[in-house]
């Protein structure tokens, strides 16, 4: 699994994630700062990402 993990980590484009965070912050008149952007990303990681991945695996691969 570690080989696949490394390949996936290399494939994931973190620039796209950063761009999306900053675009959404701008769209809501939130002060653009590294600390604010980090807060958003950590919130997504802690509260939404696991459930989103779980739901996607279930939907795409019909896993119970």
């Amino acid at each position: 699994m570690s080989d696949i993990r490394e390949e996936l980590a290399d494939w994931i484009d973190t620039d796209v994630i950063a761009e999306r965070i900053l675009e959404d912050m701008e769209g809501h008149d939130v002060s653009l700062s590294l600390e604010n952007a980090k807060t958003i990303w950590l919130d997504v990681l802690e509260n939404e990402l696991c459930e989103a991945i779980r739901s996607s695996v279930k939907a795409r691969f019909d896993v119970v």
Side-chain angles (χ1 to χ4, degrees):
M1 182 166 107
S2 65
D3 289 341
I4 295 171
R5 184 182 54 80
E6 288 179 28
E7 287 181 52
L8 180 58
D10 289 341
W11 179 80
I12 293 172
D13 187 352
T14 55
D15 190 58
V16 171
I17 296 166
E19 183 177 334
R20 180 58 192 246
I21 291 169
L22 295 174
E23 285 177 357
D24 281 358
M25 288 172 64
E26 278 184 323
H28 289 92
D29 292 327
V30 174
S31 175
L32 292 180
S33 71
L34 180 58
E35 288 307 311
N36 285 347
K38 287 169 139 181
T39 297
I40 298 302
W41 180 236
L42 290 175
D43 181 62
V44 169
L45 287 176
E46 292 173 355
N47 298 304
E48 299 177 32
L49 189 61
C50 290
E51 184 59 36
I53 291 170
R54 189 176 300 114
S55 294
S56 184
V57 168
K58 183 177 178 182
R60 301 231 179 234
F61 301 105
D62 196 28
V63 176
V64 176

